Amino acid sequence: MNPKFMRAAIRISLAKMRGNHGGPFGAIVVRRGNIVGRGWNQVTSTNDPTAHAEVSAIRDACRRLKTFQLDDCELYTSCEPCPMCLAAIYWARCRRVYYANTRQDATQIGFDDDFIYHELSRPVTRRKIPMKQLLRTEALIAFAEWKDKSDKIRY
């Protein structure tokens, strides 16, 4: 845990927000004491709802390190990750996350991730966005082929 890295994430959040690149969020990925990825919220500047600071920092780090796993990295973020970013952190396998503001702090300024946290705990049939299964048998063909694929890269 190094406060200088958190300060770097906070500086990014301020600079990019002030430059109208998106919301007040910044993140960095650190490996062996070096910053290997930087990200900031770019949702409104790129019209990409997935361009959150943590996701952007993970993408930057993976591109630079030429890997899809960051299991020897730590992520510093200016705010507790939303459900999407939290999932990305788990998929990237970051070994530790440090955050500054809480999700309750984010709620106080109009970012309400609690809605998504609640939705994820509901059965599929009770979610706000209707979901209906379709063509499972046809889709299982790809899964069967993947299971037997000898040259697959596991992740």
Side-chain angles (χ1 to χ4, degrees):
M1 177 170 50
N2 191 326
K4 82 174 185 178
F5 294 130
M6 184 59 74
R7 287 186 182 101
I10 293 168
R11 276 194 306 274
I12 290 170
S13 75
L14 286 166
K16 298 302 183 177
M17 177 206 49
R18 289 171 179 163
N20 294 321
H21 297 282
F25 305 98
I28 62 167
V29 176
V30 176
R31 182 182 188 213
R32 298 183 195 132
N34 296 304
I35 296 174
V36 296
R38 289 176 176 79
W40 55 91
N41 183 285
Q42 300 171 57
V43 170
T44 57
S45 61
T46 63
N47 295 315
D48 180 353
T50 69
H52 288 202
E54 297 89 340
V55 171
S56 298
I58 288 168
R59 289 174 180 164
D60 187 41
C62 288
R63 188 183 74 252
R64 289 174 188 252
L65 298 174
K66 297 178 177 26
T67 184
F68 55 85
Q69 291 191 338
L70 302 174
D71 52 353
D72 60 347
C73 297
E74 298 174 335
L75 188 136
Y76 288 77
T77 178
S78 64
C79 187
E80 184 177 355
C82 75
M84 177 185 70
C85 292
L86 187 58
I89 289 163
Y90 274 95
W91 279 116
R93 299 191 176 35
C94 295
R95 71 175 172 188
R96 187 167 287 118
V97 175
Y98 300 102
Y99 63 93
N101 294 320
T102 67
R103 70 192 224 203
Q104 291 80 16
D105 295 330
T107 298
Q108 294 298 313
I109 61 166
F111 293 93
D112 191 4
D113 301 338
D114 277 340
F115 166 73
I116 299 171
Y117 280 105
H118 290 358
E119 281 292 293
L120 292 174
S121 67
R122 292 175 175 228
V124 172
T125 58
R126 298 200 54 216
R127 293 184 181 159
K128 298 278 187 221
I129 297 176
M131 296 185 182
K132 177 87 172 132
Q133 190 175 27
L134 182 65
L135 300 178
R136 179 174 180 249
T137 303
E138 291 180 34
L140 281 173
I141 295 167
F143 278 19
E145 286 186 25
W146 173 260
K147 182 180 175 189
D148 297 332
K149 189 170 174 36
S150 62
D151 61 345
K152 65 185 164 201
I153 298 172
R154 293 187 182 273
Y155 60 98

